[in-house]
Amino acid sequence: MQPPSNPSPLHDGAPEPVRVLLFNVPPAALNPATSFLARDPYAVEECSQAADLFAWIDKAAYKMIILQLPTGGIEPRDVLYALRHERHASSKAVLVVLAPDEKIAEYQPFLAKGLSALFPLSASPGRLADALAGLLQVAPRVSIAEGVLFEGKCT
C-alpha cells in the first residue's frame, strides 16, 4: 500500500478525521480492542513495510501511531528519533508500541524519551481499548525546547 498523499480538506464542513496509523499490527492483535477506531471520526491506515514507515509519517499528520515492535530491524529509538523532529507531519502524534512480553523491560526507558505508551501483546483487549481511547483524548505533544533568558545577578 502506498503512503497517503497530503489529505485534501473535507467538503460540506465535515470535521477532519482523526488519523491513526497501524504499523506491522496484525488485525488479531487489536481486535476487538480497537473496534471503536472503525467508526467516525477515525480514519485508520495500515503500513506493513519497514522501508515505507517513515514515508507514511512524513506524508500525513497522524493523531496516533501504533507500532508492533521489534520488526524489520526497527526499534523504538529509530522511530522516536525520526518522528519527534518538527519536520515530520506526525511529529506530535501519540506513539504507542505493542511488544512481546520479553521486550517490555527493554523498551520501558523510551517512555521518558517520547514514547506515549507501551503495551505487552498479551494485554487484555479491554485494557488496551480503554488506554487507546484515553490517549486519543490527550492534547497533542508540544515541544518544550525553549530558550530562557534570565536577567539579574547570580550570587
Side-chain angles (χ1 to χ4, degrees):
M1 192 174 192
Q2 293 293 320
S5 60
N6 284 331
S8 60
L10 297 178
H11 301 288
D12 302 326
E16 282 288 324
V18 176
R19 298 176 74 120
V20 177
L21 177 64
L22 304 179
F23 172 71
N24 196 44
V25 179
L30 290 179
N31 290 330
T34 56
S35 60
F36 72 93
L37 292 174
R39 299 186 299 268
D40 284 340
Y42 302 104
V44 177
E45 297 166 12
E46 297 180 43
C47 171
S48 59
Q49 300 297 316
D52 297 336
L53 175 62
F54 300 107
W56 280 73
I57 63 175
D58 200 31
K59 293 284 184 185
Y62 292 99
K63 170 79 174 179
M64 177 180 279
I65 301 171
I66 304 172
L67 306 103
Q68 182 174 322
L69 296 178
T71 185
I74 293 180
E75 294 287 339
R77 70 179 161 275
D78 304 321
V79 178
L80 287 168
Y81 177 77
L83 184 66
R84 294 304 184 211
H85 287 281
E86 295 290 329
R87 65 181 172 87
H88 281 294
S90 297
S91 65
K92 293 177 175 46
V94 172
L95 185 60
V96 177
V97 168
L98 303 174
D101 292 0
E102 63 272 9
K103 289 286 195 178
I104 296 298
E106 179 183 337
Y107 291 172
Q108 197 83 27
F110 293 107
L111 290 167
K113 297 177 181 177
L115 183 62
S116 306
L118 173 64
F119 296 98
L121 289 171
S122 62
S124 74
R127 177 177 166 235
L128 189 55
D130 290 346
L132 294 176
L135 286 166
L136 283 165
Q137 300 304 316
V138 174
R141 277 184 77 83
V142 177
S143 175
I144 59 170
E146 298 289 332
V148 178
L149 176 63
F150 289 100
E151 292 184 21
K153 184 174 159 183
C154 293
T155 56

